[in-house]
């Protein structure tokens, strides 16, 4: 049996399944023949991103911090859990640190405790953040054996690391088959722009409105942008291979893209002539470069990400054009808020 065939007939729980990564994962699982349970409070997800009228999908509007909602979810007897729900992301957590701790900390703890009580989960895949947990001064490319940073610059970074530590505890103490997926700058169809969203959907949104693209910094900053379809594939592999249990894996493209180059390409693809404006770098943004090693994921999981950034960026722009009315309706920006690197 290969890793994709494994999911046929499986009962799979996806927390945060109406979000950008989650909805893409749910679509793939439904396609593979899984029975998928999604729990999402729709604070940053949208039901229109999910497969419509599928008999293999159960959507529950609920919260991972709510015991009534969790009892409803575990009543469906999930065999595999992909825990993607989170209070996203850095600036959001700086503005609302207590909410960040409740969702990312307590929510993860509650899910693990229900797994312990339920006792039938075959795999718990945790969505961590490689962009967050590695030290700012660590050598690049970041490798999984680096220690967690002793100085984290946002509550989001702290609670993502906390989730890993809770998972390690439940794995060692109770045998929960826990594995850690460290995401690096996911992008692609399904991500709606907004005040607390990532740079690519925000850049595309502003460009399609004919506005200049704001860069916080010099534009020489880099990120390891990873296509959402590759992250979904990595998650599915982590949910199948026994070698993944107890381990962490960078799900990354393994190459750097300069933010100024990104902005120029977005303007080119959208026909935006408004150019670029530069703004002051945010205080918490302590990593001018981001590059991950994906050698471990390649070696153990057979992970093979697509490094053709331009092609995938073009696909994302096309998705924006096809879904523009819904995107405009859902985009949430406060007064005077501009997009920026996250």
């Amino acid at each position: 049996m290969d890793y994709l065939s494994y999911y046929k007939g499986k009962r799979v729980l996806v927390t945060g399944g109406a979000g950008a990564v989650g909805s893409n994962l749910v679509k793939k699982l439904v396609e593979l023949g899984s029975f998928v349970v999604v729990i999402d409070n729709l604070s940053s997800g949208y039901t229109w991103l999910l497969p419509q009228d599928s008999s293999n999908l159960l959507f529950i509007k609920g919260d991972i911090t709510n015991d009534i909602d969790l009892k409803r979810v575990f009543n469906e007897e999930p065999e595999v859990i992909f825990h993607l729900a989170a209070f996203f992301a850095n600036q959001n957590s700086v503005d609302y640190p207590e909410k960040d701790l409740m969702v990312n900390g307590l929510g993860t703890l509650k899910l693990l405790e229900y797994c312990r009580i339920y006792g039938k989960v075959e795999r718990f895949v945790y969505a961590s953040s490689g962009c967050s947990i590695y030290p700012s001064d660590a050598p690049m490319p970041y490798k999984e054996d680096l220690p967690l940073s002793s100085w984290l610059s946002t509550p989001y970074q702290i609670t993502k690391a906390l989730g890993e530590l809770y998972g390690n505890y439940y794995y060692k103490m109770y045998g929960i088959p826990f594995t850690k997926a460290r995401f690096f700058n996911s992008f692609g169809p399904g991500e709606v722009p907004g005040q607390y969203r990532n740079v690519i959907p925000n850049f595309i949104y502003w460009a399609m409105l004919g506005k200049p693209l704001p860069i916080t910094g010099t534009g020489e900053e880099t990120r390891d942008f990873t296509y959402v379809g590759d992250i979904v594939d990595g998650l599915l592999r982590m949910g199948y291979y026994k070698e993944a249990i107890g381990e962490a894996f960078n799900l990354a493209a393994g190459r750097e893209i300069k933010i100024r180059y990104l902005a120029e390409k977005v303007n080119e693809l959208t026909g935006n002539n408004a150019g670029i404006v530069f703004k002051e770098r945010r205080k918490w943004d302590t990593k001018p470069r981001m590059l991950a090693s994906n050698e471990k994921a390649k070696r153990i999981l057979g992970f093979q990400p697509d490094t053709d950034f331009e092609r995938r960026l073009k696909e994302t722009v096309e998705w924006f054009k096809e879904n523009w009315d819904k995107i405009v309706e859902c985009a949430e920006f406060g007064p005077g808020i501009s997009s920026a690197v996250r």
Side-chain angles (χ1 to χ4, degrees):
M1 178 186 293
D2 66 16
Y3 74 104
L4 295 176
S5 300
Y6 166 77
Y7 289 97
K8 185 174 183 179
K10 284 288 179 184
R11 302 182 72 82
V12 182
L13 168 63
V14 182
T15 73
V21 176
S23 61
N24 280 279
L25 175 61
V26 169
K27 287 176 184 176
K28 186 64 177 180
L29 287 166
V30 169
E31 176 187 314
L32 293 173
S34 304
F35 177 74
V36 186
V37 179
V38 170
I39 181 171
D40 199 305
N41 65 7
L42 301 181
S43 60
S44 59
Y46 306 94
T47 55
W48 62 269
L49 294 174
L50 293 168
Q52 303 298 308
D53 302 319
S54 172
S55 60
N56 284 355
L57 173 62
L58 172 63
F59 174 77
I60 297 171
K61 184 178 180 182
D63 199 295
I64 59 169
T65 64
N66 186 298
D67 285 293
I68 294 174
D69 294 334
L70 289 177
K71 288 174 183 177
R72 173 69 183 91
V73 163
F74 277 87
N75 188 55
E76 296 299 327
E77 301 183 342
E79 298 165 277
V80 180
I81 295 176
F82 293 98
H83 176 31
L84 309 183
F87 188 69
F88 183 82
N90 284 302
Q91 188 60 54
N92 205 9
S93 73
V94 170
D95 293 342
Y96 305 101
E98 292 182 7
K99 182 69 172 177
D100 175 84
L101 178 59
M102 288 296 292
V103 176
N104 297 352
L106 181 61
T108 300
L109 175 60
K110 279 182 172 289
L111 278 165
L112 288 163
E113 183 65 3
Y114 272 86
C115 287
R116 182 187 71 81
I117 295 168
Y118 174 61
K120 296 180 182 179
V121 173
E122 297 175 6
R123 192 68 51 89
F124 188 113
V125 183
Y126 171 66
S128 185
S129 172
C131 300
S132 298
I133 65 170
Y134 291 119
S136 297
D137 58 354
M140 279 184 274
Y142 295 140
K143 295 184 178 180
E144 292 88 346
D145 57 1
L146 284 168
L148 295 179
S149 178
S150 60
W151 186 81
L152 298 167
S153 58
T154 70
Y156 178 78
Q157 294 174 8
I158 293 169
T159 54
K160 277 298 172 183
L162 177 63
E164 288 204 6
L165 296 172
Y166 272 136
N168 292 344
Y169 167 76
Y170 274 81
Y171 167 57
K172 295 290 187 181
M173 186 64 68
Y174 301 113
I176 301 297
F178 181 83
T179 181
K180 297 163 282 191
R182 293 175 177 170
F183 294 178
F184 277 83
N185 300 102
S186 171
F187 78 100
E191 189 167 15
V192 175
Q195 179 178 349
Y196 296 113
R197 300 304 182 113
N198 288 318
V199 60
I200 289 181
N202 284 352
F203 271 6
I204 296 172
Y205 179 73
W206 289 121
M208 289 181 66
L209 291 175
K211 297 180 179 295
L213 304 187
I215 294 177
T216 54
T218 66
E220 294 301 302
E221 297 84 359
T222 68
R223 293 295 182 262
D224 195 340
F225 293 111
T226 308
Y227 185 63
V228 66
D230 293 325
I231 288 182
V232 166
D233 184 68
L235 289 169
L236 293 172
R237 291 173 183 272
M238 291 179 67
Y240 171 72
Y241 288 105
K242 289 188 169 101
E243 295 84 353
I245 296 173
E247 298 290 335
F249 295 92
N250 291 334
L251 298 185
R255 53 98 179 90
E256 295 177 88
I257 300 293
K258 288 185 178 181
I259 301 304
R260 179 163 193 154
Y261 170 79
L262 163 65
E264 290 170 350
K265 290 304 297 183
V266 168
N267 278 338
E268 176 187 322
L269 289 168
T270 58
N272 182 31
N273 296 317
I276 296 168
V277 293
F278 292 91
K279 296 179 178 290
E280 185 178 356
R281 182 179 297 178
R282 292 155 303 181
K283 185 176 181 180
W284 55 261
D285 188 0
T286 60
K287 295 177 180 176
R289 288 183 59 209
M290 199 83 71
L291 175 63
S293 168
N294 55 24
E295 289 305 312
K296 182 178 179 182
K298 286 181 175 180
R299 185 180 72 254
I300 296 176
L301 306 175
F303 181 61
Q304 292 293 333
D306 184 356
T307 57
D308 190 343
F309 177 70
E310 289 188 21
R311 179 167 69 92
R312 295 306 192 181
L313 182 62
K314 185 177 180 180
E315 286 181 12
T316 308
V317 171
E318 290 303 313
W319 179 82
F320 261 72
K321 292 177 180 178
E322 292 168 3
N323 295 277
W324 182 244
D325 290 343
K326 291 179 181 177
I327 289 169
V328 170
E329 182 181 346
C330 295
E332 296 180 0
F333 290 94
I337 293 294
S338 295
S339 63
V341 178
R342 293 240 194 276

